[in-house]
Amino acid sequence: MDEERRISPGPFAALLGFRPLRADADGALVEALPGPEHLNGGGIVHGGYLTALLDSATGWAVHQHVPPGVAAPHVQLSVQYIRAAVAGELLVCHGRCVAAGRRIVSAEAEITQGDRVIARAVTSHAVLRPA
């Protein structure tokens, strides 16, 4: 798998407008610009949109620490919502690998909007090596 494919958004992330800017040994940096279609009934960015952004950033960060072609799906994702995000303002998500073992990889991510922290996540990923 070439390096561009390792950080290119899949169909779901592309549909949501996630833009991976960087994914390397130091982590992943992803931007997203939520629009009115990403709001919940209360007029703020839907928690599922934020969770998907955290999921994507940690996934891209983890895949920099496993060999190409090795899957590392999430087996656990814990999200802390800190404050509301609004449409029309850029979200920036930083994900990083915390520990990479042979069977489990741990990661974390944080979303900011301007200088405000919006949400954080910690994740675990199973390392699925081909048979």
Side-chain angles (χ1 to χ4, degrees), residues 3 6-7 22 25 29 31 34 46 49-50 61 63 66-67 82-83 90 122 124:
E3 199 60 28
R6 283 174 66 102
I7 67 164
R22 171 180 64 78
L29 178 63
E31 290 183 343
H46 193 285
Y49 183 83
L50 298 171
H63 276 89
V66 297
I82 297 166
R83 55 179 51 91
L90 189 67
V122 293
S124 298

Side-chain angles (χ1 to χ4, degrees), residues 13-100:
L15 178 68
L16 295 176
F18 298 168
R19 293 182 305 275
L21 302 179
R22 171 180 64 78
D24 56 33
D26 293 328
L29 178 63
V30 185
E31 290 183 343
L33 186 61
E37 67 275 18
H38 302 122
L39 302 181
N40 64 22
I44 59 174
V45 176
H46 193 285
Y49 183 83
L50 298 171
T51 299
L53 181 56
L54 292 161
D55 175 283
S56 295
T58 56
W60 281 313
V62 162
H63 276 89
Q64 305 312 305
H65 293 270
V66 297
V70 171
H74 288 81
V75 294
Q76 181 272 333
L77 172 81
S78 177
V79 177
Q80 177 188 27
Y81 300 103
I82 297 166
R83 55 179 51 91
V86 298
E89 292 185 27
L90 189 67
L91 295 170
V92 177
C93 188
H94 294 269
R96 75 177 190 94
C97 181
V98 176

Side-chain angles (χ1 to χ4, degrees), residues 68-71 102 127-131:
V70 171
R102 287 192 41 78
V127 178
L128 304 179
R129 298 180 188 279

